[in-house]
Amino acid sequence: MNQSKAPIYEALEKFRKMRIVPFDVPGHKRGRGNPELVELLGEKCVGIDVNSMKPLDNLCHPVSVIKEAEELAADAFGAYYAFLMVGGTTSAVQTMILSCCKQGDKIILPRNVHRSAINALVLCGAIPVYVNPKIDHELGISLGMEIEDVKSAIEKNPDAKAILVNNPTYYGICSALEDIVKIGHKHGMKVLVDEAHGTHFYFGKNMPITAMKAKADMASVSMHKSGGSLTQSSFLLIGENMNKGYVRQIINLTQTTSASYLLLSSLDISRRNLALRGQEAFDRVEYLASYARNEINRIGGYYAFGPELINKNSIYDFDVTKLSINTLDIGLAGIEVYDILRDEYDIQIEFGDLGNILAYISVGDRKQDIERLVTALADIKRRYSKDRTGLMSNEYINPKVIMSPQDSFYAQKESLPIQETVGKVCSEFVMCYPPGIPILAPGELITEEIIDYITYAKDKGCSITGPVDPYINELNVIKGREG
């Protein structure tokens, strides 16, 4: 297909010149009713914040320019079909699970999934079969799915409907995706890939294998992360064994009927940009990340880890664009370095956990930005370095699942002081965000280790989300149910 085309963008440009009088929504009427919004976003932006109409197609049932944009995206990503998603990759992940699982069905997945996956289990009533990842205790990060663990889960649960794989993880860890797909298909299971952090795999030269090339059935791709589109815009890719009409129906269960043309056009333009110039762009991203990794490791005290971790098992491959930096040897938790960089150096990092920070390197970065980060890290080491005694590292604790996420989420519950919840069954989510991987999910046993972790993360300044209580002093547990 002609990847130089951008049908949604082109239709909006044509629409802009038509001087149509709006008697439809949105009510700001091209910004005339909200001058402060125009001042913030500009006339051009507000002027194309329009409603679905025949010339611009409709995301719920595309027949013209949106359909063409989806076909172009499928071609660019090597998929059977691609859906434009305006509810973020959260909605794409949920669509994957809801398309393959219903109440009572089993799905095999790693426990270090994004909360969106477990949210989908709450919605559809599927039962998780967790493949607990191995932990790198030095770095405090969870690793990929090991093949033997996947095989064991399948042998014990041959009736599972699907396997979900994180590829890559937030830290750049990749599983043996092609082998997992082959094993899953051999046992009649769909293989779904949360590829939120892997958009660039489809366009870079020396990248880990993509979900579509590995013949996965579905993949959710955060175009707004490494692909350059506007926040909240993503793609859902499917293989030829999926019924695209049914998938569209699942999408329409939860996705808005008032899709933003700002988001849609950003997907269209960004897909064109990557299809035409992506390899060159990601060659530079790879260079910048490697340069940063080498310079940071020269400082001492930090460890910007990379492909040297590959063991062809729990770390089958590594995304070299991910700049994950372990900070424990300078005596600071990752979240502490994250806060110092923002508050004292005006540098915003993607996230900090208990042992690491992640600097997200992508198409918009410059070498001088990298050098500023390296200089700041060296200065932080000089000013704040101390003994690491007492620092906790692990970002993942193997859970004990007592009930399904759906049953526990909707069960009768009570709120208790957090220290009194040990031995109870949690009925809500608790997570540090980002990265949004639950420390606790509905249906899991609350242990002293987990409470200690939550308390420590709070003390270090992690942003903890999920519970009804905004201060995380209390947790909701299932009333009358002990673990």
Side-chain angles (χ1 to χ4, degrees), residues 91 101-102 113 115 131 142 186 193 215 322 347 369 375:
S91 63
C101 300
K102 59 184 185 297
V113 289
R115 68 170 295 174
V131 175
S142 49
K186 180 181 176 181
V193 184
K215 306 297 183 185
K322 293 291 185 294
I347 294 175
D369 299 325
T375 301

Side-chain angles (χ1 to χ4, degrees), residues 7 16 28 34 155 237 250 262 313 318 329 359 362 392 479:
R16 191 201 305 277
H28 61 68
N34 195 339
E155 288 172 6
L237 311 177
I250 296 295
L262 298 175
N313 193 6
F318 186 83
D329 279 347
S362 195
M392 186 184 291
K479 191 171 185 178

